[in-house]
Amino acid sequence: MTNLIKDFNDYRTRMNEVILSKNNLVMKRLWNLDTNTYEDGALNKKTKEMLGLVASMVLRCDDCIRYHLDKCFKQKTTTEEMYEIFAVANIVGGTIVIPHTRRAAEYWEELNK
Amino acid sequence: MTNLIKDFNDYRTRMNEVILSKNNLVMKRLWNLDTNTYEDGALNKKTKEMLGLVASMVLRCDDCIRYHLDKCFKQKTTTEEMYEIFAVANIVGGTIVIPHTRRAAEYWEELNK
Amino acid sequence: MTNLIKDFNDYRTRMNEVILSKNNLVMKRLWNLDTNTYEDGALNKKTKEMLGLVASMVLRCDDCIRYHLDKCFKQKTTTEEMYEIFAVANIVGGTIVIPHTRRAAEYWEELNK
Amino acid sequence: MTNLIKDFNDYRTRMNEVILSKNNLVMKRLWNLDTNTYEDGALNKKTKEMLGLVASMVLRCDDCIRYHLDKCFKQKTTTEEMYEIFAVANIVGGTIVIPHTRRAAEYWEELNK
Amino acid sequence: MTNLIKDFNDYRTRMNEVILSKNNLVMKRLWNLDTNTYEDGALNKKTKEMLGLVASMVLRCDDCIRYHLDKCFKQKTTTEEMYEIFAVANIVGGTIVIPHTRRAAEYWEELNK
Amino acid sequence: MTNLIKDFNDYRTRMNEVILSKNNLVMKRLWNLDTNTYEDGALNKKTKEMLGLVASMVLRCDDCIRYHLDKCFKQKTTTEEMYEIFAVANIVGGTIVIPHTRRAAEYWEELNK
């Protein structure tokens, strides 16, 4: 696992522990709900992760993008499919999405190494 | 066709004509590109329209939502699938997306009449 | 109750029923969680509603603003306090918030009639 | 003056009066500052209004767009120039800006009647 | 003072000096107005800083969040109160706010050391 | 060329190559269109770059800001003009734009060295 991926996951895990240790019930339940949202249903997990990714891209949240890239990778999304998601995000969200697409492309390369 | 759908489509057509009549090349090419983005590719048209919809929902653009609802409807998206897209949009984008979800639900009912 | 308030509440109730009738579990649980978020805790209900309002204002969601204006009104927020919330929203969010502040001011007048 | 323009200006004037009547000093000073921002300086008024317009477009605030369209019109912006501003806004902000461009185009036609 | 806090404050001070040295009157007056906005009024300073924080969180500006976390800390906001603000921000703004909440939680720990 | 500018340009070039190597036609055409948007027309290149900059500032995309700062610099924008663009961005977009203005000011200093 390269440093880019490891660093992201380590920080994420460490801060999630800090947040959960404060026992704020709303935060805890929101996080559970977040997990449930992407389970297989009428739409399968892979489609839902692609939806989560494109939403994260147009809202331009790099960490959310990384999280969903990882999930999409685990659901066997191909690079060709991934770039079509990038295309939708860039058309809907405009060139303001390009810098986030660069960082997404970098992370996607790492995942595929 | 109910008034909600007809009014939206009529206004859209009328103003698109005004805009295109000005012959701004960038606007024209962007609109062509927009159409191409949702064609069948590695991902099929239906999946891409769902991506366009969820992106429009988290960016909270009612007219864009209506446009993609119509396209999703034509791609045979079921109501159960649709509400799973709504769920992703509301979880990623938060309760700020709820009023747009109400208007989306209303339009979806109209389309299914 | 004036029409502005009645129309908003009626549409809201009607569409909430449509949405809930589809039995999407994520949507239902998110809405319950939303209600819990504003209950008395370390911060009281009034403060939390003011937080919800300012968040809705900078995100520029008119319906969310109306919803929280109503809740703030029920928590006995004064007009002077309300305009200090408006001021924070306009300073943080910029002049882009002004049109939403106009509609908020109109709704606030209605509530205080 | 057509209804679209008159209605917008009337509502704006009426609600501005309500807001200013509450004597919130921050709001008053912000509005004065807003006026000063677009005065002739190193950049002239016309350029500044174009900047205000494109900013309003990518932030997708219809009323702000109308306000700056009116100011640009008074600064003798041509339709060809206007559509180049629209093009920048649509490229930077993406297709999500299109519905706002339709309403902007409609208002621009009214102003030019 | 830990590095995270010191680095943020040092950069902030240094760049504020650069900006103010250019003598742009609008920028100077906006910054003064910003300071006035959070003074005691009908709402007290602590409440206003909490409003500024939640607004910064849903708009997802890490540096703005850090600035208001520091102000909230000086106004004796407790950790339990803080996490209720985090909860409102995450419910209104959605899971897209989570990465910013992680960085806010980290900074809050530093302030409380 | 200082490191800040060199690092930005190097990363940009490197990731653009990765993205273009995937041959996604929509992405390629969008990038071409992006270049065309800022060519001389009814409005000159300098004005268009200023429009691109203010749009990037209110949308708060640091990399987009850097890109347009560089273009504005090449179009001989003066520091006084630049700070008037900053002022419009901060008034329209609010204090949430300030941290991005700090980073813009830093990059502008580098360009002018």
Side-chain angles (χ1 to χ4, degrees), chain B residues 60 96 99-100, chain C residues 56-57 59-65 100:
Chain B
R60 302 188 289 119
I96 213 85
H100 304 273
Chain C
S56 301
M57 288 188 79
L59 289 176
R60 303 190 289 118
C61 171
D62 287 327
D63 280 7
C64 310
I65 292 171
H100 304 272

Side-chain angles (χ1 to χ4, degrees), chain C residues 65-82:
Chain C
I65 292 171
R66 281 185 199 115
Y67 176 80
H68 287 292
L69 281 172
D70 184 73
K71 296 283 186 187
C72 285
F73 181 72
K74 282 170 182 152
Q75 296 297 321
K76 316 268 184 230
T77 306
T78 68
T79 293
E80 207 183 344
E81 289 171 332
M82 184 49 68

Side-chain angles (χ1 to χ4, degrees), chain F residues 65-81:
Chain F
I65 292 170
R66 281 186 199 114
Y67 176 80
H68 288 292
L69 282 172
D70 184 72
K71 296 283 187 186
C72 285
F73 180 73
K74 283 169 183 154
Q75 295 297 322
K76 316 269 184 227
T77 306
T78 67
T79 294
E80 208 183 343
E81 289 171 331

Side-chain angles (χ1 to χ4, degrees), chain B residues 52-69:
Chain B
L53 176 59
V54 84
S56 300
M57 288 189 80
V58 296
L59 289 176
R60 302 188 289 119
C61 172
D62 287 327
D63 281 6
C64 311
I65 292 171
R66 280 185 200 115
Y67 176 80
H68 287 292
L69 281 172

Side-chain angles (χ1 to χ4, degrees), chain E residues 8 11-16 18-20 22 24 26-27 30-31 34 38 55-56 58-61 63-64, chain F residues 60 79-80 83-84 86-88 90-91 94-109:
Chain E
F8 171 66
Y11 180 77
R12 202 176 157 271
T13 304
R14 188 154 39 89
M15 294 319 303
N16 282 4
V18 171
I19 293 173
L20 292 174
K22 310 299 183 188
N24 181 287
V26 173
M27 293 299 292
L30 180 62
W31 289 17
D34 185 31
Y38 299 95
S56 301
V58 295
L59 289 175
R60 302 190 287 119
C61 172
D63 280 7
C64 311
Chain F
R60 303 189 287 120
T79 294
E80 208 183 343
Y83 274 74
E84 295 192 2
F86 290 178
V88 172
N90 278 267
I91 280 294
T95 57
I96 213 86
V97 179
I98 294 177
H100 305 273
T101 306
R102 281 190 201 108
R103 289 187 284 272
E106 183 184 25
Y107 204 80
W108 187 248
E109 295 296 300

